[in-house]
Amino acid sequence: MKILVGCKLVPEDQDIVVQNDGTLDTSKAAPKISQFDLNAIQTAVDIKKENANATITALSVGGKKLENVKVRKDMLSRGLDELVVVTNEKYENILPHQTSKILSEVAKEQGFDLIICGDGSGDLYAQQTGIKLGALLDVPTVNGISEIVSIDENKIIAKRALENEVEVLEVPLPAVICVSADINEPSIPGMKAILAAGKKPVNVKEVVVEDSALVDLVEIRAPKKKERAHIIIEGDSEDQIAEFVNNLRKII
Amino acid sequence: MSEDKFDAIIVGGGLAGCITAYMLANAGLETLLIEKGNFSGSKNMTGGRLYAHSIEKIFPDFANEAPIERSIVHEKISFMNDDSCVTMDYSTKEASNNEDKSYTVLRAKFDEWLAQKAEEAGVGIIPGIRVDDLIVRDNKVCGVIAGGEEMEADVVILADGVNSILGEKIGMVSKVTPHHCAVGAKEVIKLSKQQINDRFACTDKEGTAWLFAGMPSDGYMGGGFIYTNEESISLGVVFGLHNIEKASKSIPQMLEDFKNHPTIKPLVEGGEILEYSAHVVPEGGLHMLPEMVRDGVVIVGDAAGLCLNVGYTVRGMDLAIASGEAAANAIIEANKKSDFSKNTLNKYVQNLEDSFVMKDLKLYKELPQFLDNERMFNDYPDMVSGIMKDMFTINGPSIPMRKMIMPHLKKVGFMNLLKDGFKGVKSI
Amino acid sequence: MSKLSNVWVFSDTYSRLAEVISGGLELGQNVKAIVLTEDESKEAFAYGANEVFLIENSDSNNIVENYSKSIAKVIMNEGKSLILMPGTKRCKSLASLLSIELEAGLVTEVSEINIENNNINCRHMVYGGLANGLETITSEASIAVIASGTFENIQKDESKTGEAQKVDFVENKNSIKCIEKTSKEGSSVDLNKAKSIVAIGRGISKQEDISLAEELCKVMDAELGCSRPIAEGEKWMEHERYIGISSVMAKPEIYVAIGISGQIQHMVGAKDSQTIIAINKDKNAPIFDYADYGIVGDLYTVLPAVTKALKG
């Protein structure tokens, strides 16, 4: 069984700095694997545990940051057999309609039984790329998968948790599924996995797609923070708690 | 590279660990380095100054390539009390000999560079993993255990820092107690290159090292320091933890008060705090060195207590590097003989004894006791400051200088002065 | 703001049809609804849809996404324009499928939307709530998946009726079968309607200690909420009580954060509260940046004392 997993690098959001004018400075935010893609990789790894002949190949599209050896090793240390990357400066901040096109070209060339993606990515969380990929590849596609019940070479039975109900779905293969963050707890790579990562293959592909003018990202800006009184009492002695309660009485 | 066994595994990717790993890999050994932080340097800290001699030996002209901050050409030592400061100032041209130089460094950058050199030499580096235990068979250390996985090696080098859990587990290192360590706390404050040049009288690539005794450590053993980096200064205090019960304020408060001292305040004006860090430093010196070698294992760097305490500053980096070199040389020989017994690995200790590491530790072994004397950090700063004040205050008819100085000396006590004078000379 | 001539609306959930029709009425002169049942057809007319298209299919094993080709066909026949859908899991997936069928630009989690020169400007949250992205859709067909609360509530008018145009189901070779459906236990909790909320975070160390916060809720007549680790991690409280970017985005008058550090993914769901009060033992916790009133202390000391003081 050939499994492909979509994998995106996103900036570490704790290190993103909001500038005075509201624009974001991501220069100090080191690239990391999007948390939801770790769920997707773990899903593939769990399937492989039950299906020894399965192979897992991660696909990633990005700009210069994707050329970083450490980050590639990090991806490979998670249980992948191979990593395929498409790197191009122009692809640094592409949007879902382009990403899905590039991924579909690579997926067609690689061939697959199952493609697993996260529901969305940790940066823009548009929640589009996985489904668009399935539509472009013209295979059954669904999101929100919260549990894999069973899988064989013809189909996958999976649960999907919606707002008010849980559906059990039968998805014929080949297919694309997007998994939710609740599906599993990604495991942390151990020493041997990290060491082995250095020996796994990385394939670099060139794919060119024209930017179809469907959506323009005009800007990203942090909203103005509401002015707050910031009356903070430092300490929890009886007097201080009494002072705090006095403050509260004014508003409660 | 066999996935089952390595020639050497190093636990800890700081200075001692990276140097040992680098040298072993260069000598052709299959070497693995495991660092618990996400990258080398992420868990390391220094006040700021690296004496280049030991690393120059291993990486000649390293300063051209490594991320050093400034080369120190301007030394200042001060006695400081709450509202005044007496300073001795020495400036010079940069030394012509590379080994005589010293540089300010920022560990996150520096260690990362050093780890990269090690990787380029062939060391396998595993970041982000903490080693939980050692594999011991028949009293011989044969490998490490991390996250339930085992990795074997002919020899394990413990470079896991001042609180060597592994060293303790195996019974070679005794638990760190407040009596034998100091705490260093510092802020890295951003200033422009020009501001640093102006305020500390240096030129672009050159810098100042400034040490303070007295008020910065609340009158107890320790001191304050300022080191100039390229575009920031490292400002902090060191405090001998054995006095913590007597201290009148917390260490963060000492740092705050030091920063706000009238001498220091204008120097940090307008600076933005980039980083706040603190670290424990082993201070036991010669008296507290652990067992350094056993079958299949050696201990290097801070984990081996190899820090030279000279009271208001503690030198650890250059000793760590030299200990890494000493260990690597011993292990290379052991590897040739395929003999990793304590006897053979003991060459490491011999190498240390032959180097400045042990020689300096022995030389200065009485200095900490001498310095740990309340007069050092209270009476003497007051005395010197008092003398200066009288000398430089003109108000009405002047009195002879000796008559000005005497009362201040008397305050400290002539016997004390003599005692301290003798002891001081002996300890250095 | 200008209006489009036509706006398409679709909802996979009965209760959210009103919302998208409201949006349609705001943004377009003519609202065309696509529905899957007769009931929805009546509902659509009652809320003000001008035209309704009913896709006929009796296969109960269909999931909503199987209708993508049918929906696309209606829109292609009748004229491409803006399509509004509510932000449910299924509609997000359907939206992406339609975006490929119709070559339509798509933005999800839209919290603000307007029309300018026939282009659709949309605002949505990025980086876990840290910032807003502003995107403009320029394609002929466009799709906006709307976050709840974006459009005003509208009233039903049962007198408005109409006849839905019946449309055939288009076979979809990529259909997925739903072989079982179980209802989740609905929760009656709606923190969006609460005037005051008391929320607990990781500072609460044992499940039994939640009662300390419940006591304060009684005194303040507040609803109990929590941060993600309490609901999704420890599972001590239901999903509907957790406040944050992937759950409740509340705007109460008073918000009390107890033992909550104040990370952006949580605060984005609480930062529009009128007054924010924080209790946390770490004076550097980000929550204090958002607080009007706060106290740095142990919640196990402060909370019972505060509850007692407010009671008496």
Side-chain angles (χ1 to χ4, degrees), chain A residues 30-113:
Chain A
K32 65 169 186 183
I33 304 172
S34 164
Q35 182 64 32
F36 308 105
D37 295 336
L38 291 178
N39 292 111
I41 296 176
Q42 188 65 43
T43 309
V45 168
D46 291 340
I47 291 176
K48 188 173 176 179
K49 282 195 197 132
E50 310 286 319
N51 299 274
N53 65 346
T55 62
I56 308 175
T57 303
L59 310 182
S60 189
V61 181
K64 276 209 134 356
K65 300 206 178 93
L66 197 46
E67 288 170 14
N68 181 305
V69 175
K70 280 207 177 97
V71 126
R72 289 180 181 185
K73 267 205 202 159
D74 187 14
M75 287 188 198
L76 286 166
S77 71
R78 309 262 168 186
L80 309 176
D81 294 304
E82 188 189 344
L83 172 63
V84 174
V85 298
V86 177
T87 53
N88 190 318
E89 269 178 355
K90 289 187 300 162
Y91 296 157
E92 186 74 49
N93 291 312
I94 48 171
L95 297 177
H97 54 271
Q98 263 184 304
T99 318
S100 50
K101 277 204 197 144
I102 299 170
L103 287 174
S104 74
E105 294 297 311
V106 181
K108 272 186 241 179
E109 193 221 2
Q110 294 278 319
F112 62 94
D113 294 297

Side-chain angles (χ1 to χ4, degrees), chain B residues 166-193:
Chain B
L166 296 173
E168 274 177 48
K169 269 194 175 167
I170 203 178
M172 290 168 77
V173 179
S174 41
K175 203 164 166 57
V176 163
T177 70
H179 286 275
H180 300 295
C181 63
V183 167
K186 79 167 185 189
E187 287 178 9
V188 175
I189 300 173
K190 182 173 169 171
L191 292 170
S192 72
K193 230 184 255 193

